[in-house]
Amino acid sequence: MKNKILFLILNVICCASFGQFNPQNDEITKRFFPDAEMEISTPAFTKKGFTNYDDMMTYINKLVAEHPKEIQLSFIGESQKGKKIPMLVLNKENTAEKLKVWFQGGLHGDEPAGTETMLYLLDKILNDATYNYLLDKITLTVVPMANIDGYEKQDRYAANGLDLNRDQVKLLAKETNYLKQAFSDFGAEVAVDFHEYRPFRKEFSLLGPNGICSIYDAMFMYSGNLNLPKNLRDYTQDVFVGNAKKTLEANKFIFRDYIASVKYKNDVHFNQCTTEARSSTTSFALTNCISSLIEIRGVNLQKTSFKRRIKTTFLIATSFLKTAYDDASKIKDVLKTANDAKPKNLVVVCDKPQENQTIRAIDLNDYQEISLDVKVNNALKSIPVLERERPFGYLILPEQKILIDKLSVLGLKINVLNEDKTINVAAYKVTSLQISPEEDEGFKAQKITTEVSSIKKQFPKGTYIVYLDQKNAKIATEVLEPESENGFIKFEVLKPSLNSELPIYRYLTNEKL
């Protein structure tokens, strides 16, 4: 028995390190994850390996040639290795007011079900009347392979080693800039990012007498960020995610809200969902958008249960599209209410309370389903720790063009002072500064505290103004407030010094300059 457990643990470690072994045996697959019976003609089902870039482009070009009036192909930029990143827009020419939906797959290169499902979805919407009607009310934009270089070698990261789903506001990878610019230009009202997760993890050896693996076919991540209006958070959870869960339940798949394990001393805790704008779920949502990230059970499983994984992803994708179609008018009302919300305060820092939950899992001793009581830090129940009055806008000094360039990619409209002007503002003074000694994801994390005081300051011509009466205002507050856990200062885009005055100022007067 000890040898069996040791083998499983070593196998998991190898998978985590090299991504080339499948840790799941045939018994688990047969008992819990039998493959779906469905016909799929996408490239990965006509060859031994997964779809590569050339396979995808051949497949896409064929669809475009067959349906020139309903699908348009463009390229939003190039990967670091020079591969053009395709974007498909599906639309019907009619007079209906369309809802804009954004789907992307393959942001992590070792999560193939997302990309394969996006290709399968394109085929079904264009060639199957069961789904083609969705384009009567929806304009659907699809980026099927967001991380081409990683996908080509089935590796999570981009060519420069960055995780593209930790780069959504610091924007250090060229792919992220292209993706975010395309997303901002499109103006999505519903957005879904399709991923897969690792069901065998090193720390799972500490759970249960003999270790566990995850049992969930799918997990739903959506944002608990407190700067998102409650009506938007509730509608995302209750309607979009709620409908998708009902669809999975009807098809006998196992699911829950997203949890990720973290080792804590000699125990294992879990984080549920997110508040963080560094990943797509929250960064999409902060543009006043209904947003979710879908995690399918699949990383390191190679092609085991691959049809099942695609069916699970497809059911969720089409559920989101059907909800968008059925509720198109309601969605626009929800988003208008969320956009019009002007709370007195914004939340700069929050805490994720810990609670006890029961999760389902597979015991690796006898391959039976078990239930485990675990501790979960629940982002969906976040509570504010630091709040600050919501300004009318921010003033940013002319030498900080790097901040402005990133804000523009994130979809913010920027104004500029056309003359020198003395303005009453609130200034930040840095009262403490901690810099991580270790670099992670291209930066050394900075953590600061500030003292805010009212001053009258002479601002030069060319000073940038970011007003908060715009659609993407919530992401501006997220990245510009200096203590933010996902801000420009945290990610070293701006490097302050102790006791300095920051080149960002809060403008509180409710009138345009």
Side-chain angles (χ1 to χ4, degrees), residues 30-211:
K30 182 178 179 180
R31 185 177 297 187
F32 293 99
F33 309 106
D35 228 340
E37 294 184 5
M38 56 192 299
E39 291 296 323
I40 304 176
S41 60
T42 56
F45 292 93
T46 62
K47 59 186 289 187
K48 184 176 180 180
F50 292 110
T51 297
N52 61 34
Y53 179 78
D54 290 339
D55 295 334
M56 176 184 68
M57 291 311 305
T58 299
Y59 187 85
I60 286 172
N61 285 327
K62 183 174 182 292
L63 289 175
V64 172
E66 292 172 348
H67 303 274
K69 292 184 177 180
E70 291 181 299
I71 182 169
Q72 290 79 45
L73 168 64
S74 62
F75 297 94
I76 61 175
E78 292 186 350
S79 73
Q80 293 166 48
K81 292 188 175 181
K83 299 287 182 68
K84 293 182 178 180
I85 305 168
M87 180 177 76
L88 292 308
V89 178
L90 283 71
N91 193 17
K92 278 185 181 178
E93 294 182 0
N94 59 32
T95 58
E97 183 180 11
K98 300 294 183 69
L99 195 74
K100 295 181 179 180
V101 179
W102 172 281
F103 281 179
Q104 68 182 33
L107 195 62
H108 289 150
D110 61 346
E111 299 171 11
T115 289
E116 209 67 27
T117 305
M118 292 301 95
L119 299 180
Y120 179 65
L121 178 71
L122 292 173
D123 174 59
K124 298 300 284 185
I125 289 179
L126 292 170
N127 293 312
D128 188 335
T130 306
Y131 304 100
N132 187 261
Y133 79 94
L134 294 166
L135 298 182
D136 292 341
K137 293 184 181 181
I138 291 171
T139 297
L140 173 63
T141 291
V142 178
V143 179
M145 191 181 285
N147 176 10
I148 295 169
D149 298 340
Y151 207 95
E152 289 275 79
K153 58 181 181 176
Q154 286 295 297
D155 183 85
R156 178 183 179 92
Y157 303 100
N160 61 356
L162 291 182
D163 185 332
L164 297 186
N165 204 34
R166 304 293 182 271
D167 192 41
Q168 300 288 302
V169 292
K170 54 188 173 69
L171 303 174
L172 295 183
K174 63 187 296 187
E175 292 94 338
T176 316
N177 282 269
Y178 293 136
L179 288 163
K180 297 302 286 188
Q181 188 66 66
F183 179 83
S184 297
D185 292 343
F186 179 59
E189 294 159 297
V190 177
V192 189
D193 192 3
F194 295 94
H195 287 250
E196 292 189 273
Y197 78 93
R198 188 188 306 276
F200 292 82
R201 299 177 64 93
K202 288 186 291 184
E203 59 269 22
F204 284 177
S205 64
L206 302 174
L207 293 172
N210 299 296

Side-chain angles (χ1 to χ4, degrees), residues 38 116 119 144 154 160 172 223 262 268 324 328 364 458 468 477:
M38 56 192 299
E116 209 67 27
L119 299 180
Q154 286 295 297
N160 61 356
L172 295 183
S223 185
V262 289
V268 178
L364 293 181
Q458 176 84 6
L468 298 188
T477 65

